[in-house]
Amino acid sequence: TSNNIGWVIGSSTNNPGFVNGAGQDFHLNSTSPAINAGIGEVLTAGYTKDLDNKNVPAGSAVDIGAYEFQAPDCDSFTT
């Protein structure tokens, strides 16, 4: 089997922007084109949580993939 996953947005093939696809970490990195690129039918089908049990959507639209991108909580950082 292969860990290579191809997908299409519009007319071009893009790298989905996984954190570590080779290591099987299919969470999305912060620059992934899959963020907010999903379709609304996901919500009307009743999906409200991702595989990490996080809310879907976390942004302005659902993400493509099993994990919804979660932006870091700036309040949790200390200096």
Side-chain angles (χ1 to χ4, degrees), residues 2 7 9 25-26 29 33 35-36 48 52-54 56-57 60-61 65 72 74 76 78:
S2 172
W7 58 293
I9 293 179
D25 182 350
F26 299 113
N29 68 40
I35 296 172
N36 297 327
T48 60
D52 284 335
N53 203 35
K54 303 288 184 177
V56 173
S60 61
C74 294
S76 65
T78 57

Side-chain angles (χ1 to χ4, degrees), residues 14-76:
N14 297 292
N15 179 328
F18 295 136
V19 168
N20 183 357
Q24 298 186 1
D25 182 350
F26 299 113
H27 291 86
L28 302 175
N29 68 40
S30 63
T31 60
S32 171
I35 296 172
N36 297 327
I39 56 174
E41 284 81 4
V42 169
L43 298 177
T44 58
Y47 295 101
T48 60
K49 301 286 184 177
D50 68 6
L51 289 183
D52 284 335
N53 203 35
K54 303 288 184 177
N55 290 333
V56 173
S60 61
V62 296
D63 299 343
I64 296 173
Y67 300 100
E68 189 78 1
F69 176 74
Q70 304 290 321
D73 181 1
C74 294
D75 293 335
S76 65

